[in-house]
Amino acid sequence: MRNTILSSVRQSLCSARFWLGAVFIALVLFLTSMDAVTEAFRAEDPLDYGFHGKFILDALDGDGLTICLPIVCALPYAASFVDDVKTNFLKLYISRTSCRGYILGKAAGCLVSGGAVIVLGLWLAYGVSAILFSPLEGPPDPDAAAPEHAMTLLRGCALIFLSGGFWSLFGMTMSALMTSRYIAYAAPFIFYYVLIILCERYFTELYVIYPKAWLAPGAEWRMGRWGPALVIAELIVLAVLCFGAAVRRRVRSL
C-alpha cells in the first residue's frame, strides 16, 4: 500500500500539467497586478524595503487566485481515475494491489498535487517578484521592524494547500461518480462559485461554507486559522469516502 500511495503522489507531481499549473498561477498573480508592476518600474524614488513580498500579498488579496484556484488545482490529477477506467488500466492496477491501496493512492496523489500546485505557483511568483523588485528597493529602515512578508505567506500556505487539495479531490470524486473526465475539471469550478454566490447574496452569515473565507479567515472564526482548517479537513475525509464508494462500485462491475 505504501508503494502504491508513493507511486501515485510521484506520478501526480511529475506530470507536465502540474508544472504548467504552477507557472499559470504565478502568471495570474502578475497579470492581475500589472498596475502595481507598472508603477514600480516607473517610480523615480526607490521602492520601500520588502516591496517584493508586499506585492505578492496584495496580489493574493485580489480576485486572481480566487478565479483560477478551482480550475488549476484539478488539472494535475483529478481526471486520473477516469483515465484508468477508459484505458482499462484499472483492472490491471487492482490485480496488482488492493482496492483500498488504490483508493488511498489516488486520493493522496490528488490531495498533494491539488494543494502543491497552488503553493508552488505562489512561491514561484514570490521568487520572480524578488528578482524583479529587490534591486529597485531602498535600504531597510534601522528604526522599523523588518517586514515579515515571507512568513505571512508561509503561514497562509497551509490553508491554501488544504483548499486546493479538497477541490482537486472533489473533482475526482464527481468524475468517478459520472465517469467523465470533463466533470473532473468543471465540477470544482461550478460548485466553488455556487457556494460563493450563495454566501455573498443569500446566506451572508454562513461563512463556514464560504470558499474565500477558507483562504483568509476573519475575526468571525473563533478558532482562528484552525477553524477553516478543520472544516476543509472534514470535507476532504467526506470526499475520500465518496470516492472510495464510487471506486468499489466500479471494481465490482469489472
Side-chain angles (χ1 to χ4, degrees):
M1 182 183 298
R2 179 174 176 270
N3 290 335
T4 302
I5 294 175
L6 291 178
S7 176
S8 296
V9 172
R10 184 166 53 249
Q11 180 185 1
S12 66
L13 296 180
C14 294
S15 65
R17 285 176 293 186
F18 174 82
W19 295 99
L20 289 175
V23 172
F24 181 76
I25 290 292
L27 286 174
V28 166
L29 292 179
F30 274 91
L31 291 176
T32 55
S33 304
M34 284 305 297
D35 290 342
V37 174
T38 304
E39 291 178 3
F41 280 103
R42 287 180 177 178
E44 297 180 358
D45 298 327
L47 302 175
D48 294 335
Y49 180 73
F51 174 85
H52 64 279
K54 184 177 181 298
F55 171 81
I56 297 299
L57 295 180
D58 291 342
L60 287 178
D61 291 336
D63 294 330
L65 183 63
T66 302
I67 293 172
C68 63
L69 185 145
I71 302 174
V72 176
C73 67
L75 288 178
Y77 210 61
S80 60
F81 172 72
V82 176
D83 290 339
D84 289 348
V85 173
K86 297 292 186 181
T87 59
N88 293 322
F89 184 67
L90 176 62
K91 186 175 183 179
L92 178 63
Y93 203 135
I94 290 295
S95 66
R96 294 178 177 271
T97 184
S98 64
C99 185
R100 181 183 179 187
Y102 177 84
I103 292 170
L104 293 179
K106 287 294 180 183
C110 210
L111 174 65
V112 173
S113 63
V117 67
I118 307 298
V119 173
L120 180 61
L122 295 181
W123 284 104
L124 177 61
Y126 187 91
V128 173
S129 177
I131 294 173
L132 290 177
F133 299 125
S134 291
L136 305 178
E137 296 176 6
D141 187 351
D143 298 328
E148 298 183 353
H149 301 310
M151 290 302 301
T152 301
L153 179 61
L154 184 62
R155 286 192 292 266
C157 281
L159 289 178
I160 293 173
F161 180 90
L162 287 175
S163 184
F166 165 69
W167 290 113
S168 180
L169 276 170
F170 180 80
M172 186 172 68
T173 300
M174 295 304 296
S175 69
L177 293 172
M178 300 183 182
T179 319
S180 171
R181 73 189 324 269
Y182 299 106
I183 292 295
Y185 307 130
F189 178 81
I190 294 173
F191 189 51
Y192 185 88
Y193 278 96
V194 166
L195 290 180
I196 288 179
I197 292 172
L198 287 175
C199 292
E200 290 185 350
R201 294 187 181 181
Y202 304 105
F203 306 103
T204 56
E205 300 295 329
L206 199 58
Y207 59 88
V208 176
I209 63 170
Y210 189 39
K212 291 183 179 180
W214 296 349
L215 302 178
E220 65 273 7
W221 293 88
R222 297 184 179 180
M223 298 178 63
R225 293 183 177 273
W226 285 104
L230 291 175
V231 171
I232 301 172
E234 292 173 359
L235 292 174
I236 287 174
V237 172
L238 181 60
V240 172
L241 292 176
C242 293
F243 173 69
V247 172
R248 288 189 173 91
R249 185 184 63 182
R250 173 63 62 176
V251 170
R252 285 195 295 267
S253 65
L254 293 177

